[in-house]
Amino acid sequence: MNQDSLVVRYFFEGDKARNGVLATVPRRSSGGECAVAVLKAIAQAEVDLTRFEVVAWSPAHEGWCSLKGATTDSGDLFAWLPDIDRVDVMLKRQGRPSQSNPAESSYDHRTELKSTTSDGFFGVALLRSTSELNHGTLWRSASTFGASFMATIGAPYSKSVEGCTNTTNAAKGAPMWRFDAWGDFCKVAPMDAPWVAIEMGGEDLDTFVHPARCVYILGSEAQGLPSSVVKACVAHVSIPAAENARTHSSNVAVAGAIVMYDRLAKQRGTMSKGLELGSSDDDDERGEPERF
């Protein structure tokens, strides 16, 4: 054990601890002082702590322990910290929508990318895609169906894609951001926009009620979305296939286009009935919008 420093390995919810970022903090004599040092180190790494809850894995309790509100006088709560070589820290999105109303969150007055229209906004994020053709096709569909932006995470992108798939210059309608890692995306993902995983094994798209604001997340062609990312999302949606279908897996660009079209079709249907996206015909009877 290094008597002078404590190793901090932090990662964002949805990623694996083994992909975390390493930092070191001075080892303190008390657990409270160590906890404060951990929070300071993460803040110095340009992580906005108002957007994330910081939880640390406690070997003593065999569970996650929130560092929120930690002070140098926190007493026995973090007594285990000075006695370990390395602490794993997970950063969880603050203000995640509640189960009773998952399409809403606590960021209503601090939304970074919030539309002034009733239909809100949505974006599409593609995680670790290996096909530039699928990337370009999905980007074009995102622009066609009204996405506010598209993002790639840990995926290569070559401008040559535009020559064979992006013939409409999609960037003019839906700008694209490239992130090298999941954590980079998490740092700047828009507030007040729940994540929706598009992956097999979720709720049928037929019955899904799209949030007014959200980010749809799709995985790679070969492996789909990791289970850790699916768990980090507020909703998990899948595209139903025919009963006699030989495969229930769709091409990622096709899957994204289907989901975006479904959103547009349902949006037009609710608008024709005088409703807003994220609500259903039964809302008036219950008094509250139906979410997810």
Side-chain angles (χ1 to χ4, degrees):
M1 177 186 293
N2 189 324
Q3 299 297 326
D4 299 324
S5 62
L6 170 67
V7 176
V8 179
R9 183 170 66 175
Y10 68 90
F11 61 99
F12 291 83
E13 183 182 20
D15 209 346
K16 301 290 186 181
R18 63 174 178 266
N19 298 327
V21 178
L22 296 179
T24 58
V25 299
R27 187 180 298 277
R28 306 298 185 184
S29 58
S30 74
E33 290 176 323
C34 285
V36 170
V38 169
L39 291 174
K40 184 177 179 180
I42 294 175
Q44 289 176 339
E46 299 183 351
V47 175
D48 185 354
L49 296 185
T50 65
R51 299 189 60 179
F52 298 95
E53 179 185 5
V54 182
V55 296
W57 179 261
S58 167
H61 302 94
E62 296 185 346
W64 294 101
C65 176
S66 175
L67 300 187
K68 183 178 181 180
T71 67
T72 55
D73 300 321
S74 293
D76 297 334
L77 183 59
F78 308 111
W80 48 273
L81 266 174
D83 300 326
I84 60 177
D85 293 320
R86 186 191 70 207
V87 57
D88 283 337
V89 174
M90 180 167 61
L91 305 178
K92 304 178 67 175
R93 295 184 85 191
Q94 286 271 28
R96 286 189 61 180
S98 64
Q99 293 298 320
S100 60
N101 196 6
E104 296 298 331
S105 74
S106 61
Y107 288 115
D108 288 339
H109 302 295
R110 292 185 287 157
T111 303
E112 295 176 348
L113 297 172
K114 189 170 182 179
S115 171
T116 57
T117 61
S118 61
D119 55 352
F121 70 86
F122 73 95
V124 180
L126 184 56
L127 179 64
R128 298 170 192 156
S129 171
T130 57
S131 169
E132 293 183 341
L133 290 178
N134 282 337
H135 173 190
T137 302
L138 183 60
W139 191 9
R140 175 174 176 170
S141 296
S143 177
T144 299
F145 291 117
S148 296
F149 63 90
M150 180 174 169
T152 62
I153 307 166
Y157 170 67
S158 170
K159 199 166 184 178
S160 63
V161 171
E162 297 188 13
C164 52
T165 59
N166 186 15
T167 59
T168 60
N169 198 359
K172 291 184 177 180
M176 191 273 289
W177 284 276
R178 175 184 173 184
F179 300 99
D180 291 332
W182 173 255
D184 297 328
F185 166 74
C186 293
K187 285 183 180 180
V188 298
M191 298 179 182
D192 201 21
W195 295 341
V196 178
I198 310 302
E199 182 60 57
M200 291 188 295
E203 176 185 346
D204 276 358
L205 183 61
D206 293 343
T207 59
F208 180 63
V209 180
H210 296 264
R213 302 168 299 278
C214 68
V215 180
Y216 300 104
I217 301 180
L218 299 101
S220 67
E221 295 78 10
Q223 299 177 343
L225 283 178
S227 59
S228 56
V229 172
V230 174
K231 291 177 182 178
C233 293
V234 171
H236 177 191
V237 181
S238 60
I239 299 171
E243 292 184 3
N244 61 345
R246 295 181 60 184
T247 177
H248 289 254
S249 175
S250 299
N251 171 275
V252 65
V254 173
I258 291 173
V259 170
M260 288 185 281
Y261 174 75
D262 184 79
R263 176 189 178 92
L264 179 62
K266 289 175 179 176
Q267 178 183 6
R268 288 176 172 174
T270 55
M271 289 178 64
S272 68
K273 299 175 183 178
L275 301 173
E276 292 186 0
L277 192 66
S279 62
S280 71
D281 294 337
D282 299 328
D283 289 346
D284 291 339
E285 298 178 6
R286 290 196 302 269
E288 291 291 337
E290 179 182 339
R291 308 291 186 181
F292 298 154

